Structures are given as C-alpha cells and as structure tokens.
C-alpha cells in the first residue's frame, strides 16, 4: 500500500502522520505540491490514496481536483473540502441538516449588513471572512459605528471575497470552546480551548486541555460530520444555555496539540482511515 501525503510545509502534525505510517508498515510518500507539475498527460506516479495536508487552501483544492481526475481517492475529497473551505457554505450545510449552529447570514452591502444585525437580534455580532483559518480577520462588532468602519475597510482594501459579509450572532462562551476531532464520522477525541480572549483558537494562544466527550457532544459532532460528508475533520463547538452548537468545521485539521493533551493517537486513526479507504477504492 502506498499513501501520498500532500503538503506545503512539514509541521508537527505531518511528522506525527509520518511516524504513524511507519509504525504500521505503510509506505508514505511525502509530496511538496510546490515542487510538482500537475499535468495529467505526463503524470506517472501511482498511489492507493492521497492525504491532503496543504496549509494553502488554493494549492490543496487544485491538488485534490488533480488526483481525483486520476481516479485516486483523496482524503478529504473535493466535496468535503468545498463545503468546509467556506464558512457560509458550511453554515448552510449544517442548517439544511438541522444541526444546531450559530445564527448567521450573508450580505454584500453596508445597508443589508445592518439589516442582518437586526435579524440576528442586535449587537454584538461577529463579522468574519467566509474563507480563512487560525482566527484571523475576525471582528466583534459592538455597535453600528464599528460595523460601518469595518465594512468600509473591507470595501476599500479587501479582496473581492472580503466584500461578502458573513455575519454570525455573537455567542457568550464560558472562556473556552471545544474542538472535536473526527475521523470517518467517529469522534476520536476532544479538547477545550481555554482563553481569556473571545477568540479561542490555539493559534491565537488558547490553552488546550482534554475534554470529556458526553453523549450530547458526540451526537452533534457526528451529525455535523455527516452534514458535510465525513472524512477527517475538526469541529468547533460552543457551549450555550440551550446546549451545544457548531461554529465551524475544518477540513485540514491540525491535531498535534490535541494528540499531546489527550494522549490519543489521532495520527494513527487518520492513517488507518486512509488504509481503509485505499482498500475500498
């Protein structure tokens, strides 16, 4: 069996995957997509399955499309990646599947964005780019003056994608959120991400602590995974007075901190999933 792991840089997560493959006697071919020419007329390498681990969403999406065109199964596949790459599309998928999620809407003008705030119950709200990670470019909007200022910045300085205003209701969290790591629609483990700041990404300094998985957390995580197509996912969950709600879903999940604090072999679970998919493919 030969697994290809695509990347744009080798992080601690990819090193854990390399070790997990070695421990299972699986050949893992590490491919830096930046050094490749994806020409289907000249490509000759054969793999049983491809694991996409690119930091660059653009590189990853094109690489997924390329290998799928060669009828090689890719984890995660293009359908999952396209849903999870866009937060608005993710929210739509969760809403359609009746998975509890944060109230949201999207608008393209300042006047419509103000109407969105009213529909969501007033300030504060969270304005975020539909595509992005690591808690970057999120803005907690406390009043109309702030909304006008942030939208003006986006309209003048932003790329075309930043001129689509994805807005969520602001949720008061208990100083943390939950990251649930999923593989093949199964909960592998979960962590709390503790932070004094309202943004609770570990990339922004949040502390990772093991989180017990109760039945309600398992149920909403599995439902969210199924809503976007399964695969290897990181599901961000908020605790509210009404119960758990899903915030976002990451399709190129970072897990080194999860594996460190939970002592669960996340990398091993991912490699074993790749092995199953290769056999099924």
């Amino acid at each position: 069996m030969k697994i290809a792991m695509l990347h744009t840089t080798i992080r601690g997560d990819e090193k854990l995957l390399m070790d997990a493959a070695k421990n299972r006697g699986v050949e893992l071919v590490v491919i830096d997509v930046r050094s490749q020419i994806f020409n289907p007329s000249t490509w000759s390498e054969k793999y049983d399955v491809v694991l996409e681990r690119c930091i660059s969403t653009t590189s990853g999406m094109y690489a997924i499309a390329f290998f799928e065109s060669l009828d090689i199964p890719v984890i995660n596949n293009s359908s999952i990646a396209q849903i999870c790459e866009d937060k608005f599309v993710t929210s739509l998928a969760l809403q359609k599947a009746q998975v509890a999620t944060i109230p949201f809407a999207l608008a393209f003008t300042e006047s419509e964005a103000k109407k969105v705030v009213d529909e969501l119950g007033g300030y504060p709200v969270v304005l975020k780019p539909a595509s992005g990670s690591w808690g970057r470019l999120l803005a907690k909007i406390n009043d109309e003056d702030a909304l006008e200022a942030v939208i003006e910045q986006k309209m003048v300085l932003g790329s075309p994608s930043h001129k689509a205003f994805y807005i969520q209701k602001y949720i008061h969290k208990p100083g943390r959120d939950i990251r649930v790591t999923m593989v093949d629609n199964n909960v592998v483990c979960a962590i709390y991400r503790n932070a004094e700041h309202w943004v609770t990404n570990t990339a922004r300094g949040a502390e990772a602590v093991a989180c017990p998985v109760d039945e309600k957390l398992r149920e909403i995580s599995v439902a969210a995974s199924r809503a976007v197509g399964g695969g290897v996912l990181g599901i961000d969950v908020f605790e509210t007075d009404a119960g758990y709600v899903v915030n976002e879903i990451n399709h190129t999940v970072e897990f080194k901190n999860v594996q460190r604090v939970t002592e669960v072999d996340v990398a091993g679970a991912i490699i074993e999933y790749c092995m199953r998919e290769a056999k099924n493919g």
Side-chain angles (χ1 to χ4, degrees):
M1 181 174 294
K2 184 185 291 188
I3 300 173
M5 182 176 72
L6 311 179
H7 73 91
T8 47
T9 188
I10 296 292
R11 302 164 290 179
D13 311 83
E14 285 70 45
K15 292 177 181 177
L16 289 170
L17 289 164
M18 293 162 69
D19 290 340
K22 182 178 180 180
N23 292 339
R24 287 159 178 77
V26 174
E27 182 180 0
L28 185 70
V29 181
V30 179
I31 300 174
D32 187 338
V33 298
R34 297 169 297 180
S35 64
Q36 304 301 312
I37 298 174
F38 290 133
N39 183 343
S41 299
T42 58
W43 189 272
S44 60
E45 297 297 327
K46 303 291 185 182
Y47 308 110
D48 296 293
V49 67
V50 169
L51 176 61
E52 192 273 301
R53 295 290 308 172
C54 298
I55 292 177
S56 165
T57 299
T58 300
S59 300
M61 295 296 287
Y62 281 122
I64 292 170
F66 176 75
F67 286 105
E68 285 185 340
S69 77
L70 302 179
D71 295 323
I72 299 174
V74 182
I75 297 171
N76 286 316
N77 64 43
S78 55
S79 175
I80 297 168
Q82 286 167 2
I83 294 172
C84 295
E85 184 273 334
D86 189 297
K87 295 177 176 62
F88 179 62
V89 176
T90 302
S91 293
L92 292 173
L94 292 169
Q95 187 85 9
K96 184 175 182 179
Q98 298 183 328
V99 178
T101 189
I102 299 171
F104 70 97
L106 184 137
F108 298 102
T109 68
E110 180 184 298
S111 61
E112 299 308 309
K114 290 177 180 178
K115 294 176 184 177
V116 167
V117 175
D118 291 336
E119 290 183 2
L120 296 180
Y123 298 98
V125 294
V126 175
L127 179 59
K128 59 174 68 172
S131 180
S133 58
W134 298 331
R136 296 174 299 190
L137 298 180
L138 274 64
K140 179 185 175 187
I141 307 295
N142 293 317
D143 54 38
E144 189 167 293
D145 288 343
L147 181 67
E148 291 173 353
V150 172
I151 286 181
E152 182 179 16
Q153 288 276 338
K154 290 180 176 290
M155 293 299 288
V156 175
L157 301 176
S159 66
S161 64
H162 290 145
K163 295 176 177 61
F165 308 125
Y166 170 66
I167 303 172
Q168 289 179 317
K169 181 180 179 66
Y170 177 76
I171 302 297
H172 294 275
K173 296 179 288 184
R176 69 189 186 191
D177 72 352
I178 300 171
R179 161 59 66 87
V180 182
T181 301
M182 305 289 298
V183 176
D184 195 18
N185 292 320
N186 293 301
V187 174
V188 177
C189 56
I191 59 169
Y192 292 118
R193 300 188 296 189
N194 298 325
E196 294 182 5
H197 197 276
W198 69 274
V199 180
T200 47
N201 298 68
T202 53
R204 294 281 294 269
E207 177 191 16
V209 179
C211 169
V213 179
D214 61 34
E215 191 56 34
K216 291 294 186 182
L217 180 58
R218 186 180 305 278
E219 286 177 3
I220 195 170
S221 299
V222 171
S225 176
R226 293 186 185 281
V228 300
V232 178
L233 304 170
I235 300 180
D236 295 344
V237 179
F238 290 174
E239 302 159 279
T240 73
D241 292 339
Y244 295 117
V245 296
V246 175
N247 177 32
E248 297 176 2
I249 302 179
N250 189 300
H251 72 284
T252 312
V253 59
E254 296 179 77
F255 58 86
K256 59 181 179 295
N257 287 320
V258 176
Q259 184 158 323
R260 173 177 57 82
V261 302
T262 64
E263 298 184 345
V264 173
D265 186 8
V266 177
I270 294 172
I271 292 298
E272 288 172 8
Y273 174 52
C274 291
M275 295 167 66
R276 294 194 301 273
E277 288 297 291
K279 292 176 180 177
N280 293 337

